[in-house]
Amino acid sequence: MKKHGTRLSVIMPVYNEQARIAQALESVLFQDVDFQYEVIVIDDRSTDDTAAIVRSYQEMFPNITLQVNETNRGKGYGFMRAYAMAVGEYFHVLDGDDVFLSYNKLQRQVDFLDAHDDYVAVGHNSLILFDDQRVSLVCRGLEPQSFAYDDCIRNRLYCHTSALMYRKIHKTLPDAFLAKPLRGDSAVYFYHVFHSKKKVMYWPEVLSLYNFHGNGLWSGMSEQERGHLNCQVLQALLDLVIVDQSLEEYTVVKRRLEQLRSARSTWPARRQQAMTLDEVLSQCGRTAAKVFDPQVRSKAFRG
């Protein structure tokens, strides 16, 4: 694709997001970039005012495209539909309840992929905001790190949907994405790594916000349901994406599935590590005390 055309496609599959869709859209439109990008919103026949809110932005920003499904088809269908429409060299999925936090996030990611053909994706850390206003981080890594293909296949990196920008490797996606277990970010990640055989870059900066609330596909599940879904995802990857049982990747994912069946999700432990905003500020203050002199510290934390 030509460099002066649309470089990036931001894909937003949404359903009943009237409370948060404006913030999500504005976090994209807020980006300071030197390239053309498009925003493709697929509304899965919302029963609230989500589509109307998107149309109000569409009137002001012609790079926004809205398609409303005739019936409720699920997130996998919406993602596949948007992916087929996307003309960018790169794509980024943003759920309608999440937010980009940094004004130059997309520019940095495009610049990185432009300069590194051996990478299929670049991601970063994200802040998790819970309903009770406690916060946590998605990733624990505090240093930039490059993950080789073998590392990615073995699930040694996880970044949230709001963090990852991908190189678009195919014009369309297979019907495998219509399978319910493959509707989430893990399937998108594995598919693009597996078919590209390329690396993924991780940055430790917190550049997006993940709203963890009871209405999300993942956040609305119990611990047992999450563990069961993760098993279904791995089984679907084996059956619908890898397929060939002679491949090393098949053996690796099958081993992950067996391990997961004997040890369920570790999410509750991560949830317990969440802090209130006051606790976060207090910790920042203690850190600043070790770094900055008293005068600088007093100004920085005055408010």
Side-chain angles (χ1 to χ4, degrees), residues 58-285:
Q58 191 178 25
E59 292 176 358
M60 297 181 286
F61 300 95
N63 61 329
I64 297 177
T65 298
L66 170 66
Q67 296 288 333
V68 179
N69 293 335
E70 293 183 4
T71 59
N72 185 271
R73 299 290 299 272
K75 185 177 180 180
Y77 175 84
F79 171 63
M80 282 183 62
R81 186 179 181 185
Y83 192 96
M85 295 169 57
V87 299
E89 300 169 60
Y90 312 123
F91 76 93
H92 197 311
V93 183
L94 180 66
D95 291 334
D97 54 352
D98 296 326
V99 178
F100 294 154
L101 294 179
S102 171
Y103 74 96
N104 65 348
K105 165 190 150 64
L106 297 183
Q107 182 70 57
R108 288 181 59 191
Q109 289 178 296
V110 165
D111 288 346
F112 179 88
L113 291 175
D114 278 349
H116 300 86
D117 290 338
D118 53 338
Y119 285 79
V120 70
V122 54
H124 52 73
N125 212 341
S126 302
L127 189 72
I128 308 170
L129 177 62
F130 296 96
D131 277 341
D132 60 4
Q133 298 302 298
R134 294 175 70 85
V135 295
S136 184
L137 295 175
V138 170
C139 308
R140 297 302 171 194
L142 299 179
E143 298 292 335
Q145 186 174 352
S146 173
F147 288 83
Y149 172 72
D150 286 346
D151 293 325
C152 297
I153 293 298
R154 286 169 171 77
N155 200 37
R156 290 173 182 159
L157 169 66
Y158 173 76
C159 292
H160 185 249
T161 303
S162 62
L164 282 163
M165 180 183 291
Y166 295 89
R167 197 178 300 277
K168 192 167 188 269
I169 59 174
H170 295 149
K171 290 184 178 180
T172 60
L173 293 170
D175 288 344
F177 279 89
L178 293 175
K180 194 173 182 179
L182 298 186
R183 61 185 174 173
D185 51 6
S186 295
V188 178
Y189 176 80
F190 186 91
Y191 179 88
H192 283 80
V193 169
F194 176 69
H195 282 283
S196 69
K197 301 295 187 290
K198 294 186 176 184
K199 298 182 287 187
V200 176
M201 185 65 191
Y202 165 75
W203 296 330
E205 294 97 330
V206 176
L207 304 180
S208 64
L209 175 69
Y210 169 26
N211 271 300
F212 192 91
H213 53 83
N215 298 322
L217 291 178
W218 177 261
S219 58
M221 294 181 178
S222 67
E223 178 189 351
Q224 184 177 10
E225 289 171 333
R226 291 173 194 151
H228 183 61
L229 176 58
N230 282 333
C231 289
Q232 290 181 317
V233 170
L234 293 177
Q235 188 65 61
L237 291 177
L238 292 172
D239 297 339
L240 302 175
V241 178
I242 304 174
V243 182
D244 187 348
Q245 297 185 24
S246 67
L247 295 177
E248 180 184 2
E249 291 89 343
Y250 193 96
T251 302
V252 169
V253 174
K254 185 177 181 181
R255 189 179 300 120
R256 283 173 51 192
L257 176 58
E258 292 169 350
Q259 292 172 345
L260 186 59
R261 281 173 173 162
S262 61
R264 294 301 191 187
S265 172
T266 59
W267 183 269
R270 180 176 294 181
R271 175 65 180 88
Q272 292 170 5
Q273 295 169 353
M275 297 184 291
T276 65
L277 293 177
D278 285 341
E279 289 170 338
V280 172
L281 288 174
S282 177
Q283 181 168 311
C284 290

